[in-house]
């Protein structure tokens, strides 16, 4: 049990959540587990520090009615602490662990997919020609809607893009 206690004390909860990049339900479940762990550890320390022996001789000397002290001492000596089956708690912990691992694997899969997409985008950006080198035909091939909109405006006799002067100002030289 001492090895389990020392491992629990050495556990860096903040480092776990930040190094694994835990977010959402997984992070909140880990925080709840940490809180229960801290509460249990605090309770064990409090109970361990409290006195565990009763000086019945002192009470016999202090009290006039020693029969009460004898009765209490008999109950104290015959007391057997209740034993609990911790199997249910262990099953709950194992279920939590399974769910946490599953959530972590799902998160890892999503992050890996997103990283691949970002890597492709970065390669695209690095391989793209500078904007100054693009031709009108290449821009129209990349975005056919620009060509369609231009044809539509020209067919209606409009030679200026609506809202252009308001957004960019009048660049004509007087």
């Amino acid at each position: 049990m001492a090895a389990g206690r020392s491992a629990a004390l050495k556990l860096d909860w903040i480092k776990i959540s930040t190094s694994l990049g835990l977010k959402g339900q997984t992070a909140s479940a880990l925080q709840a587990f940490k809180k229960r762990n801290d509460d249990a550890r605090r309770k064990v320390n409090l109970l361990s520090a409290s006195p565990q022996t009763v000086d019945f001789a002192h009470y016999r000397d202090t009290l006039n009615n020693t029969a009460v002290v004898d009765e209490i001492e008999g109950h104290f000596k015959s007391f057997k602490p209740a034993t609990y089956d911790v199997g249910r708690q262990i099953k709950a912990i194992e279920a939590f662990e399974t769910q946490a691992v599953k959530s972590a694997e799902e998160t890892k899969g999503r992050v890996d997919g997103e990283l691949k997409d970002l890597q492709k985008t970065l390669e695209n950006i690095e391989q793209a020609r500078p904007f100054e080198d693009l031709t009108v035909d290449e821009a129209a091939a990349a975005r056919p809607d620009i060509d369609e909109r231009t044809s539509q405006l020209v067919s209606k006799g409009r030679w200026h893009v609506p809202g252009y002067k308001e957004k960019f100002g009048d660049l004509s030289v007087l």
Side-chain angles (χ1 to χ4, degrees):
M1 186 69 181
R5 283 186 189 161
S6 65
L9 292 173
K10 293 177 184 175
L11 193 58
D12 187 1
W13 295 97
I14 296 171
K15 186 177 180 182
I16 288 173
S17 61
T18 54
S19 67
L20 296 177
L22 300 178
K23 291 187 176 25
Q25 183 182 10
T26 307
S28 62
L30 183 67
Q31 288 295 349
F33 183 76
K34 179 191 178 298
K35 183 181 181 304
R36 288 193 311 268
N37 180 25
D38 290 343
D39 291 344
R41 186 180 304 137
R42 202 173 302 114
K43 196 177 239 185
V44 165
N45 288 338
L46 180 70
L47 292 175
S48 297
S50 65
Q52 299 174 359
T53 59
V54 178
D55 185 12
F56 289 106
H58 170 74
Y59 289 109
R60 280 192 191 93
D61 293 340
T62 305
L63 298 174
N64 293 333
N65 189 353
T66 58
V68 171
V69 176
D70 293 336
E71 183 180 343
I72 292 173
E73 185 177 13
H75 287 297
F76 181 77
K77 288 182 178 178
S78 66
F79 174 75
K80 299 286 184 224
T83 58
Y84 292 101
D85 181 22
V86 293
R88 192 178 83 200
Q89 286 84 2
I90 290 174
K91 286 180 185 176
I93 290 170
E94 288 172 350
F96 170 78
E97 181 182 7
T98 303
Q99 181 64 31
V101 168
K102 181 182 171 188
S103 295
E105 288 173 352
E106 289 174 1
T107 302
K108 182 184 179 297
R110 286 194 303 267
V111 168
D112 287 343
E114 193 171 324
L115 282 174
K116 287 179 184 176
D117 290 345
L118 290 173
Q119 187 64 34
K120 286 179 186 176
T121 303
L122 182 62
E123 289 172 6
N124 237 356
I125 291 170
E126 289 172 347
Q127 293 173 357
R129 289 191 304 169
F131 184 75
E132 300 83 31
D133 294 346
L134 288 179
T135 64
V136 174
D137 293 334
E138 291 171 334
R143 295 276 312 270
D145 60 316
I146 294 174
D147 216 12
E148 293 171 13
R149 179 74 174 141
T150 306
S151 298
Q152 183 184 31
L153 289 173
V154 169
S155 69
K156 292 182 180 178
R158 296 187 185 156
W159 298 99
H160 299 285
V161 177
Y164 183 86
K165 284 186 179 180
E166 289 80 12
K167 189 171 185 179
F168 299 108
D170 191 3
L171 299 177
S172 61
V173 179
L174 295 176

